[in-house]
Amino acid sequence: MENIQRKATKIIPELRNLSYERRLQRLELISLEQRRLRGQLIEAFKYLNGLNNVTLEGLFKRDALWPDIGAPQPYVPYRDGGSGVAREAVSKQLVVLGFLAIVDVSSPPACSRHLLLPSALKGDSAAILASDGAPGSAGSEDEEVSSDEGKVPSLCVLLHGGLKKEGMVALCQVAPGWYGILYSWSDNKKKSNLLLSIFHPGVDVIPWLGKLDELGPASALPLNPYSTPDATPPFPVKSGEKRSYNQACVVWVRAGGLQSDVQKILRHARKLPDKTNSFYKELNRVRRAALQYGFPALLQGLSSILEREILSLPTSAHPEGTMQLQHACSALIVCARSAMDPTTSDNKHHTNILPLKTNFASQD
């Protein structure tokens, strides 16, 4: 940026032969370095005089402007135990329980992620380094230890290479009733690391994997799902309860959303009886949304729109299409009246509108 300003000041013909400092003086400008220092001093003045809405604690000291940020505390989650809060701590040992494919695990939610590194050599060599005070001998011993680290077998390196090549993750237990996964993660094409993602405490924290304490080897099943490519995969596990994020909800944030849904119903209505199933599917979707939002008057308006659609049908239209539209209009009126009447108990507005059964054959 400084070079850009230096070249820009040379554009003026009268200042082209002057030095950079003289050009800045003639233009009443300052260098970018001085401008940056000026901005930092202004921000420091605002912090010290309370002009910015920030706290000085943890930012810097008042007397020497020196960092005073404490070390981060280790993550220790808490579990709601009903009557109180129970504290959970990660064990010092990781127990590898089995392996899962990355496509089955996908991207599970995690409360923390950690980088795993092989531990340094310990034992006699470390004791020698600690007891010997000669600088020459300490350096030679240090070189021997660093050279021996690459020759000692490491489970961390073996696990990292195997998971990366096979496209798998290792399910591990970090504490009783608390699980996580080990996997290979790369920030670029040349370098990758072995990471540990710790789930939230519990055995039923990943819905598509089921209960983690009930997972077992695939070979123990009557039919191994990984034996043939066309076999049914065991994951995701289907839950018995319907979760809100699995349902297609109708949202009318703007008027255009409601108009789009009504236009979709009219497009199917003009193609009756070929689009009978699609017509009633969209009609019931709008009907349920109107009743859930407490908007039964929408059903009366939709009935009026369908009545006008009946009058505008051409004479060559199929008679079954007219009969289906008349049936839908009357069903919407009955549903709206049942929903707006607080004394009714027939609950007709809770049932779907079914297609009218006719005697017309498909080839008529």
Side-chain angles (χ1 to χ4, degrees):
M1 294 296 293
E2 191 77 31
N3 292 332
I4 295 176
Q5 180 170 297
R6 189 187 304 271
K7 294 179 180 179
T9 55
K10 285 186 177 182
I11 298 177
I12 304 175
E14 294 81 3
L15 306 178
R16 186 172 302 168
N17 297 326
L18 300 178
S19 63
Y20 179 53
E21 290 75 12
R22 290 285 298 168
R23 293 198 301 270
L24 292 179
Q25 292 178 2
R26 294 283 298 273
L27 296 174
E28 298 181 356
L29 297 176
I30 60 176
S31 63
L32 295 182
E33 183 179 0
Q34 295 174 346
R35 189 181 304 173
R36 191 182 305 111
L37 177 60
R38 176 176 176 272
Q40 293 175 353
L41 293 176
I42 292 175
E43 291 300 323
F45 176 81
K46 292 180 179 180
Y47 285 136
L48 295 176
N49 291 274
L51 300 179
N52 285 350
N53 190 18
V54 296
T55 58
L56 295 176
E57 182 179 359
L59 183 63
F60 42 59
K61 293 182 180 180
R62 287 179 179 271
D63 51 354
L65 298 181
W66 195 257
D68 190 20
I69 301 176
Q73 298 295 325
Y75 177 81
V76 181
Y78 291 84
R79 184 186 302 180
D80 188 3
S83 59
V85 177
R87 183 167 181 163
E88 298 287 346
V90 177
S91 176
K92 295 182 179 180
Q93 294 182 349
L94 297 179
V95 181
V96 177
L97 303 177
F99 301 93
L100 294 168
I102 293 180
V103 295
D104 293 335
V105 178
S106 186
S107 301
C111 61
S112 63
R113 292 179 174 86
H114 310 270
L115 175 64
L116 267 67
L117 298 173
S119 58
L121 291 176
K122 297 180 180 180
D124 298 337
S125 60
I128 292 175
L129 291 174
S131 60
D132 195 350
S137 61
S140 60
E141 293 292 342
D142 192 8
E143 293 177 358
E144 293 179 1
V145 171
S146 61
S147 62
D148 291 339
E149 286 182 356
K151 301 178 181 179
V152 177
S154 174
L155 177 61
C156 185
V157 176
L158 177 63
L159 187 61
H160 180 204
L163 295 178
K164 181 180 179 180
K165 183 177 181 181
E166 299 296 333
M168 307 284 286
V169 300
L171 179 65
C172 58
Q173 186 176 13
V174 299
W178 198 0
Y179 300 88
I181 54 173
L182 291 169
Y183 59 96
S184 174
W185 179 82
S186 59
D187 52 356
N188 52 49
K189 295 182 179 180
K190 297 182 179 180
K191 185 179 179 181
S192 61
N193 299 296
L194 184 63
L195 294 186
L196 169 66
S197 291
I198 300 180
F199 303 150
H200 293 277
V203 298
D204 195 10
V205 293
I206 311 298
W208 58 88
L209 294 181
K211 293 185 177 180
L212 300 179
D213 58 346
E214 296 181 357
L215 296 179
S219 58
L221 297 174
L223 179 61
N224 191 341
Y226 299 103
S227 59
T228 57
D230 56 347
T232 303
F235 302 105
V237 177
K238 294 183 179 180
S239 177
E241 57 185 23
K242 293 183 178 180
R243 302 181 183 271
S244 60
Y245 53 78
N246 287 337
Q247 299 177 359
C249 302
V250 180
V251 180
W252 294 323
V253 179
R254 299 178 180 178
L258 177 57
Q259 293 176 1
S260 177
D261 290 337
V262 174
Q263 290 294 333
K264 189 181 298 185
I265 295 175
L266 293 179
R267 285 197 300 268
H268 293 315
R270 297 186 183 102
K271 297 179 181 180
L272 289 174
D274 296 334
K275 295 290 185 178
T276 301
N277 294 332
S278 300
F279 170 75
Y280 281 98
K281 179 181 178 181
E282 296 297 330
L283 185 66
N284 285 306
R285 190 173 71 91
V286 174
R287 179 193 60 82
R288 287 192 299 268
L291 295 178
Q292 291 171 356
Y293 294 148
F295 193 17
L298 174 63
L299 304 181
Q300 294 179 339
L302 186 57
S303 176
S304 302
I305 294 175
L306 293 180
E307 288 178 355
R308 291 198 298 268
E309 189 67 23
I310 295 174
L311 298 177
S312 61
L313 288 176
T315 56
S316 60
H318 199 283
E320 184 180 358
T322 306
M323 297 173 62
Q324 295 291 351
L325 288 177
Q326 292 175 349
H327 169 68
C329 291
S330 59
L332 288 173
I333 292 296
V334 173
C335 180
R337 291 176 179 174
S338 176
M340 290 187 293
D341 189 2
T343 61
T344 185
S345 59
D346 52 6
N347 293 329
K348 291 183 179 180
H349 55 284
H350 290 304
T351 58
N352 288 333
I353 301 176
L354 301 178
L356 179 66
K357 295 182 179 181
T358 61
N359 295 327
F360 290 97
S362 57
Q363 64 271 15
D364 291 344

